[in-house]
Amino acid sequence: MYIWYLFDTFPKFQSLPHATKVSTQWRANNLRVSLEKRYEKLDAMADTAMHRIYNLVKGAVWAAIPKWAYIIFAIAVLAAGGFGYGFFYMLKKLQTGECWALPP
């Protein structure tokens, strides 16, 4: 196969009908392989979509949500809790006069 590919790359051999036939077969084979790869990716995406739709229809909404969404939600809840705690902690210090940053 590699030898025929070399015949296809050199201009003086491209006029040979044998080299053109091999080149056409090689291109058709590459096209078939690339289309098979695209079909496999599309099939995997369709399977994922069908799995998520099935989970939504059956009531398992938690299974249809991607895992990264849970991670972002957990980080947001932790951040909100931390900011809330800090806010009320500083509010208490300001109300009692323990804060040294501001004059009484």
Side-chain angles (χ1 to χ4, degrees):
M1 185 77 175
Y2 181 71
I3 294 171
W4 297 119
Y5 178 71
L6 288 177
F7 279 121
D8 188 35
T9 56
F10 294 115
K12 70 177 185 176
F13 292 116
Q14 285 182 352
S15 61
L16 297 174
H18 185 72
T20 307
K21 181 179 178 186
V22 170
S23 171
T24 305
Q25 290 173 352
W26 183 75
R27 288 187 183 125
N29 189 28
N30 277 351
L31 178 65
R32 182 183 55 81
V33 169
S34 67
L35 288 176
E36 284 177 359
K37 287 180 183 177
R38 287 184 184 181
Y39 177 77
E40 288 173 1
K41 289 180 183 178
L42 183 64
D43 192 39
M45 288 172 46
D47 286 343
T48 302
M50 287 295 292
H51 179 70
R52 288 186 180 165
I53 290 171
Y54 177 79
N55 286 332
L56 285 173
V57 169
K58 295 297 179 182
V61 177
W62 58 269
I65 299 172
K67 303 299 181 229
W68 57 265
Y70 287 118
I71 294 170
I72 291 175
F73 179 75
I75 290 172
V77 167
L78 289 173
F83 283 120
Y85 177 77
F87 173 77
F88 286 110
Y89 178 77
M90 288 303 296
L91 181 65
K92 179 183 164 192
K93 282 189 122 216
L94 286 172
Q95 287 177 345
T96 58
E98 296 176 19
C99 184
W100 55 270
L102 298 173

